[in-house]
Amino acid sequence: MKYERVKNFYNGGFVDSTSADDLDVVSPIDGNLLATVPMSTADELNAAVKSAKKASESWGKAPIKERVQVFFRYRNLLEKNLDELTSLVSEENGKTSDEAKAEVDKSIELTEFACSMPQLVSNEVLEVSRGVECRTEHFPVGVVASIVPFNFPLMVPNWTMPNALVLGNTMIMKPSELVPLSVLRMAQLLKDAGLPDGVFNIINGGKEIVEGICSHADIEAVSFVGSTKVAKLVYQQSTHSLKRCIALGGAKNHLFVLPDANPAMTASNVTASMSGCAGQRCMAASAMLAVGNVDPIIDQICVEARKVVPGKNLGAVISKAAKTRIEDYISEAERNGAKILVDGRGAVVAGKENGTYVGPTVIDFVTPDMSVATEEIFGPVISIIRTNTLDEAIKIENDNPYGNAAAVFTQSGGLARYVMEHASAGMIGVNIGVPVPREPFSFGGWNDSRFGANDITGKSSIEFWTKLKKTTTKWNPEAGVNWMS
Ligand code: NAD
């Protein structure tokens, strides 16, 4: 085992769990055992919440300009430790080194946004009638929780942690049990940056800890990122316990490819979107709506897909179970009459035979009722559905329960505008395969890809992580009284 048993982190210290129930943390790259992770106990969750609650008394009252200083230092530590973080993310998640580095870079960008919070949350004051002023002030919510998935071991934790903490909250984070190492390293960097004890805490575990978080009397807000099935449970359980909750779920992202699209640019974008991070991105292209005759573009996509090679510029999928699930989807589509143009099943990387790889896969003549057309596959697979008209394609996209992202490839501004208006998704790309809004724009889907009112990053997250106090003052006793003053 390369690393020691993963510890919890609370009250400023790394603490061994008393639980006897551990899971293995295995590198998808080669199947090697990296560490074990405990399924922590309810008592350990309580201890972490207690430390977060105690810390929130002083952290929540510190001026935001003071809190943000820690994050300037944390940002610099991310940069200083970029190489080490890159290899840790790659090792535990299986993504390529370039993709892991991009994840660290994005974590730096997210932290920089958090460092700009003092400029964004300046409070408002207005004289609303003669001598009477109204003012709004943002207050922290208190102890908040962040439950995160496996596919971005460092970036998704940095979607929530810097914003929530700069805004004065203290946090319990529940990492994915598949990739708990990067978050633990993040805790050390925060400590090195001077974050006071108890402001950030980690409790490892699975379903029981998540349920414990959703019902904990001292946790005020819960953020979740993961599959739709669990997002619904977390949203229901947290709001049942009268907490505010934002729960981001899975995705089935549709790319509309129109005959006038630039072939080379479209092919490289579609391929990068479906195969980047081995297709394990909630923004990955999963279904391609081929409107009219786009055969030359499909040919070009196959050429591009064949350049994506497992173990070289394509990382591993997270586990053996994921590999089997993805390959089963491909086989089922083939049995039902779809045509596999590029087949990634059975991929093996020499010298890493225990790694879990699936090659890029292009499936043509998929019909809208097939499972590869409707369900999230979460692997490097693109399902091509052919339609005669754009409206037919839009109906297929609209009928899908998810709504994270959609993109259109065309040279026509009018047609692009039509898709922007009619696609039922929270994030739209025009000639962009992975339309992630960068800071200060916020990230969040629609429909079954997000439950709750706000987006999880950017300006929209300010509303989630704070509560507003509205104060009305009058200092002119001679003024008359009316019902509005
Ligand atoms: P997951 O839902 O299996 O797990 C997410 C978290 O929930 C983990 O911390 C896990 O321990 C916990 N969990 C798992 N099962 C649970 C249960 N039954 N009850 C309570 N908690 C449970 O998701 P994953 O496999 O780690 O991540 C992949 C999924 O996340 C994909 O569906 C992907 O689309 C989605 N995702 C969405 C976004 C987004 O922004 N919408 C971003 C990243 C990932």
Side-chain angles (χ1 to χ4, degrees):
M1 188 159 94
K2 182 166 177 185
Y3 302 102
E4 60 178 16
R5 184 188 196 222
V6 176
K7 291 193 166 64
N8 291 323
F9 178 75
Y10 50 90
N11 214 6
F14 293 91
V15 187
D16 224 340
S17 171
T18 59
S19 167
D21 183 10
D22 280 21
L23 296 179
D24 287 347
V25 182
V26 173
S27 175
I29 292 175
D30 50 17
N32 286 345
L33 182 65
L34 295 176
T36 58
V37 60
M39 298 296 100
S40 306
T41 64
D43 283 349
E44 286 157 348
L45 174 63
N46 287 336
V49 175
K50 205 170 155 197
S51 90
K53 199 173 175 193
K54 183 161 172 275
S56 81
E57 286 162 24
S58 52
W59 180 253
K61 291 198 177 87
I64 189 167
K65 277 178 168 289
E66 202 174 302
R67 290 193 296 255
V68 94
Q69 295 306 318
V70 175
F71 286 85
F72 283 116
R73 294 192 290 271
Y74 169 68
R75 180 240 170 261
N76 291 345
L77 287 172
L78 286 174
E79 193 172 57
K80 191 170 160 206
N81 291 277
L82 192 137
D83 290 345
E84 184 215 325
L85 289 165
T86 296
S87 53
L88 195 56
V89 166
S90 171
E91 200 171 28
E92 66 174 341
N93 172 276
K95 60 182 68 178
T96 67
S97 209
D98 285 350
E99 290 164 348
K101 178 181 175 296
E103 185 168 342
V104 187
D105 285 340
K106 181 69 194 176
S107 302
I108 293 172
E109 184 179 350
L110 289 156
T111 307
E112 286 168 351
F113 174 74
C115 289
S116 75
M117 281 294 184
Q119 278 58 255
L120 295 175
V121 294
S122 52
N123 301 312
E124 292 173 338
V125 56
L126 183 74
E127 186 181 47
V128 289
S129 62
R130 185 65 56 86
V132 177
E133 280 178 2
C134 280
R135 64 189 289 150
T136 57
E137 288 168 277
H138 291 81
F139 279 73
V141 177
V143 179
V144 301
S146 177
I147 303 158
V148 290
F150 80 81
N151 62 328
F152 285 95
L154 192 72
M155 181 191 79
V156 170
N158 280 289
W159 275 1
T160 55
M161 182 277 293
N163 289 351
L165 266 52
V166 164
L167 291 167
N169 302 288
T170 58
M171 178 175 272
I172 309 294
M173 185 165 280
K174 208 297 282 173
S176 163
E177 59 275 36
L178 301 172
V179 295
L181 299 169
S182 302
V183 172
L184 206 62
R185 189 74 188 101
M186 189 171 105
Q188 182 64 54
L189 296 183
L190 286 166
K191 201 171 161 59
D192 295 348
L195 190 73
D197 293 352
V199 174
F200 179 70
N201 308 274
I202 300 170
I203 291 293
N204 291 286
K207 185 172 183 279
E208 286 73 22
I209 289 296
V210 170
E211 287 171 352
I213 286 171
C214 295
S215 60
H216 203 292
D218 288 331
I219 295 178
E220 306 292 337
V222 175
S223 72
F224 171 89
V225 181
S227 61
T228 290
K229 185 178 137 233
V230 184
K232 282 183 181 169
L233 290 173
V234 167
Y235 190 77
Q236 282 163 346
Q237 289 169 10
S238 304
T239 54
H240 182 74
S241 303
L242 305 177
K243 301 180 195 319
R244 57 173 80 178
C245 180
I246 177 172
L248 267 53
K252 183 79 186 175
N253 304 316
H254 293 74
L255 303 186
F256 297 80
V257 176
L258 309 191
D260 72 341
N262 177 301
M265 187 260 287
T266 304
S268 60
N269 269 271
V270 171
T271 308
S273 178
M274 71 94 161
S275 65
C277 297
Q280 300 175 122
R281 281 192 288 205
C282 64
M283 295 296 280
S286 185
M288 177 179 134
L289 297 158
V291 182
N293 181 5
V294 297
D295 284 359
I297 300 176
I298 293 174
D299 291 346
Q300 190 73 30
I301 289 171
C302 293
V303 171
E304 290 296 324
R306 289 192 185 95
K307 294 181 195 163
V308 179
V309 181
K312 283 193 179 144
N313 53 353
L314 178 66
V317 297
I318 188 69
S319 61
K320 284 204 171 83
K323 178 175 161 75
T324 305
R325 188 197 67 239
I326 297 161
E327 294 187 341
D328 285 352
Y329 268 116
I330 303 168
S331 302
E332 191 191 322
E334 189 176 40
R335 275 198 308 279
N336 290 331
K339 192 171 170 196
I340 316 296
L341 301 181
V342 181
D343 190 351
R345 286 172 292 184
V348 178
V349 172
K352 291 174 181 149
E353 285 75 9
N354 288 326
T356 43
Y357 295 89
V358 179
T361 301
V362 182
I363 314 179
D364 201 357
F365 300 106
V366 169
T367 52
D369 56 326
M370 290 182 186
S371 58
V372 289
T374 56
E375 293 174 20
E376 179 175 43
I377 301 172
F378 227 50
V381 179
I382 188 90
S383 308
I384 302 176
I385 307 166
R386 291 170 177 256
T387 71
N388 292 319
T389 66
L390 182 54
D391 282 331
E392 210 185 310
I394 284 172
K395 180 164 180 350
I396 292 169
E397 192 273 346
N398 285 184
D399 284 350
N400 192 274
Y402 295 107
N404 217 37
V408 56
F409 289 86
T410 179
Q411 297 302 311
S412 156
L415 292 175
R417 177 79 213 153
Y418 192 76
V419 173
M420 285 162 68
E421 233 174 273
H422 291 89
S424 181
M427 292 169 281
I428 307 290
V430 176
N431 296 321
I432 300 229
V434 187
V436 174
R438 293 184 66 165
E439 278 50 47
F441 296 93
S442 60
F443 186 101
W446 284 6
N447 311 331
D448 279 3
S449 295
R450 188 199 63 186
F451 306 95
N454 299 98
D455 285 340
I456 203 160
T457 65
K459 288 185 200 166
S460 174
S461 71
I462 297 171
E463 277 177 54
F464 185 74
W465 297 123
T466 59
K467 49 192 183 189
L468 276 186
K469 184 174 275 184
K470 289 74 60 181
T471 307
T472 307
T473 56
K474 182 169 83 172
W475 292 109
N476 49 342
E478 72 286 358
V481 177
N482 72 39
W483 68 274
M484 291 237 328
S485 63

